[in-house]
Amino acid sequence: GYDPARQVVVLFGGRSGSSTDLSETWEYSAGVWSQMSFVGPGIRSFAGMVYDPIGAELLMFGGLSGATDLNETWVYSGSGWTRRQPTSSPPVRHAAGLVWDPTRQRVLAFGGAAGNPEVYLSDTWAWDGANWAPLSVGAVGPIWIHQAAHDSARNVTVFYGGFSGSS
């Protein structure tokens, strides 16, 4: 995710070429990648991450730890990771789309996949800085591994690409 306050790109985890999930935090600034030395949330791939301007931190949700789907919520401020303990949270998932919605002043999480065999999800959740709440925003259909962005000119959130099971 991109942190505009600190002007850095932050990467966490991912999957190596040997399909091993990673637990490293990297920052990219001024053309240089630097690995951070503090302990992160644990191994995971396919987690969603987006900047939350109200909390002035990056929010990371879900992912896969090996073959286990997660529904953990973590935040990153540049000095380390902190796990949040919301009283409500989306069900486990990986590869969900996260986006900041300036109209609602919330992070939105949409879709993703969970389980073995995988089930593709079509629910939407909003993060208010302390808890997640489900939103009813119409049927987009189940999708995962998609990108999300807010189009401020039209005041809409746009989801692009992804996989729905057949295309």
Side-chain angles (χ1 to χ4, degrees), residues 78-161:
S79 59
W81 289 95
T82 303
R83 184 170 180 189
R84 298 288 193 232
Q85 300 289 340
T87 56
S88 61
S89 189
V92 297
R93 70 192 59 220
H94 62 277
L98 269 65
V99 65
W100 172 252
D101 180 344
T103 302
R104 290 184 176 86
Q105 295 287 294
R106 302 281 190 265
V107 168
L108 302 181
F110 174 75
N116 186 8
E118 283 183 320
V119 174
Y120 307 113
L121 307 168
S122 62
D123 54 346
T124 303
W125 291 77
W127 171 254
D128 67 5
N131 284 299
W132 290 97
L135 288 181
S136 178
V137 293
V140 175
I143 194 166
W144 71 300
I145 311 180
H146 53 288
Q147 296 299 312
H150 184 80
D151 178 346
S152 58
R154 296 184 300 145
N155 196 29
V156 296
T157 298
V158 178
F159 295 97
Y160 178 77

Side-chain angles (χ1 to χ4, degrees), residues 62-89:
L64 275 175
S65 180
T68 302
D69 285 297
L70 304 168
N71 73 335
E72 298 172 351
T73 302
W74 290 82
V75 294
Y76 179 76
S77 62
S79 59
W81 289 95
T82 303
R83 184 170 180 189
R84 298 288 193 232
Q85 300 289 340
T87 56
S88 61
S89 189

Side-chain angles (χ1 to χ4, degrees), residues 2-9 28-30:
Y2 180 66
D3 180 338
R6 296 185 322 111
Q7 297 185 348
V8 298
V9 173
Y28 180 78
S29 178

Side-chain angles (χ1 to χ4, degrees), residues 1-26:
Y2 180 66
D3 180 338
R6 296 185 322 111
Q7 297 185 348
V8 298
V9 173
V10 178
L11 296 179
F12 180 80
R15 189 164 278 180
S16 72
S18 62
S19 294
T20 300
D21 289 339
L22 305 170
S23 63
E24 301 167 344
T25 302
W26 290 81

